[in-house]
Amino acid sequence: QSNGIGGLKTFDAHVPEIKFTKLFINGEFVDSVKGRTFETIDPRNGQVTARVAEGDKEDVDLAVKAARQAFDHGPWPRIAGYQRGRIMSKFADLIEENIEELAALDAIDAGKIFSIGKAMDIPHVATLLRYYAGAADKIHGEVLKMSRELHGYTLREPVGVVGHIIPWNFPTTMFFMKVAPALAAGCTMVMKPAEQTPLSALFYAHLAKKAGVPDGVINVVTGFGSTAGAAISSHMDIDMVGFTGSTEVGRIVMQAAATSNLKHVSLELGGKSPLIIFDDADLDTATDLALTGILFNKGEVCVAGSRVYVQEGIYEEFEKKLVVKAKAWSVGDPFDPNVHQGPQVDKKQFEKILSYIEHGKREGATLLTGGERVGTEGYYIQPTIFTNVKEDNVIVKDEIFGPVLSLMKFKTVEEAIKRANDTRYGLEAGVLTKNIDLANTVSRSIRAGVIWINCYFAIENDCPIGGYKMSGFGRDLGLDALYKYLHVKSVVTPIYNSPW
Ligand code: TXE
């Protein structure tokens, strides 16, 4: 622990040596073709952590070539499913041996709380790999009766070379949400991590090789969206692109897929998820869920509960309790064991959030708490709660992707449903009530990919997540994610002298 920067304590003892900064192509760490590099920044202080190879179109071409070769001629899609599973399980073991270092890399790249990385993000992806490792030898089609003259069956075959483009908010989880099911399916891939958070992805490439994943199966091209990302979405030799990120860029990726080779697309985009709290909900639980729903990972969560609707009977008391808890939520260095919230990922995101806060103030919303940066260095922002907002206020409409909550009051069930659905997004929703009929009615009425009843962030490996409306399509997690990386092929043959 050293003395503070900008008034905050810093904890440098945990910062690891950065071992991997080059592109990972065909099983080797290599410089980019143009020899360019870019800076990755520590959001705790805005200083440069490392310079990382900047991949561009030529590098994506090389990575796709390696992935194509590995798919068309390599062992990965051809070995038995259990053999893929065995290598994936080994990969999971190696992750568990490096938890501390990986959690530290995500802390200095993304500002993630170190202790949460150690307890959740990193161990979780080991279980995710094992979940899909177990599914790798259970991929099968169906036998079709068809007619008296025809007999058929379906095969599930890997879609081929997949391009993954992921964001920075959960560098580790996003990596494996894409890579693990694609590996189980027998696909090969080119992964582009977000430019803000390249470090752990390169470490995972190293561990994949060590685990025995054949060369060319996982390639990692670090670099920017408009260059390396665009080269992936428009590539003629990539069969599918899996994207998580903003709705704006999702649209661009889909357009590029359409105008190149019509590659398959899956999009997990933004959200503005509602949490509806009825009068009969337990106040302590409700305020805890509402608070963590917006503040976990400093609000940089696609499923953050950024619109909280509270029924009028408990509204006043709820508001008071929530504000007390928000004020006790500590912001600071992600290595500090007493801190709940680290810095926003980068300057751009930090400024975006602060400008939304200013917008909220200008629109006439009441600021209940927060609304300012914390300290004078780094990208820390106070937990911020607005009330007296209107449904058409920008802060209620737009995904802010920060620790900024809009708190609203409602009277009737119908009103809550209508207002919750009044959004272009449809990723998740939460409902808190002891009344099961009410919970069921709301669950069926909200147009979103996941509904959490009396819980929030209840994400498990086998529970698919994804969007309705402009939150995208296709699912991550669960067997639905595995099927996304598999084609269904029907095989039909005549059958002679069938008795039926
Ligand atoms: O996202 P981008 P940004 C939302 C959130 C956030 C906003 C902007 O509201 O404030 O998006 O964040 C790559 N072709 N979400 O600008 O740009 C890029 O390099 C191909 C929600 O960081 O969408 C990165 O790898 N790829 C979200 C990835 O896309 C391109 C998580 C995401 O970056 C590209 C992140 C292009 N033309 C942000 N341009 C969620 N759903 O969780 C960029 N990329």
Side-chain angles (χ1 to χ4, degrees), residues 61-84:
D61 283 344
L62 290 174
V64 174
K65 210 169 151 199
R68 192 81 254 166
Q69 173 73 16
F71 186 79
D72 292 343
H73 306 290
W76 194 250
R78 293 171 184 82
I79 54 178
Y82 79 87
Q83 290 174 300
R84 283 200 298 279

Side-chain angles (χ1 to χ4, degrees), residues 314-335:
I314 56 165
Y315 180 86
E316 305 302 328
E317 228 186 314
F318 181 95
E319 183 188 292
K320 263 189 235 140
K321 242 186 209 287
L322 187 70
V323 170
V324 170
K325 288 183 180 177
K327 287 189 166 148
W329 184 267
S330 63
V331 180
D333 190 289
F335 288 102

Side-chain angles (χ1 to χ4, degrees), residues 165-170 174 192-196 223-233 243-250 252-253 268-271 300-303 345-346 348-349 352 399-401 425 427:
I165 302 173
I166 58 168
W168 37 262
N169 54 339
F170 290 88
M174 294 293 158
K192 194 201 83 63
E195 51 272 35
Q196 296 85 345
F224 293 93
S226 57
T227 50
I232 289 176
S233 47
F243 174 80
T244 299
S246 60
T247 297
E248 266 171 293
V249 174
I252 295 172
V253 166
E268 208 266 73
L269 309 174
E300 292 171 348
V301 184
C302 54
V303 298
V345 72
D346 66 1
K348 183 177 142 212
Q349 188 62 22
K352 172 186 164 182
E399 181 181 54
I400 299 176
F401 226 58
Y425 296 116
L427 210 46

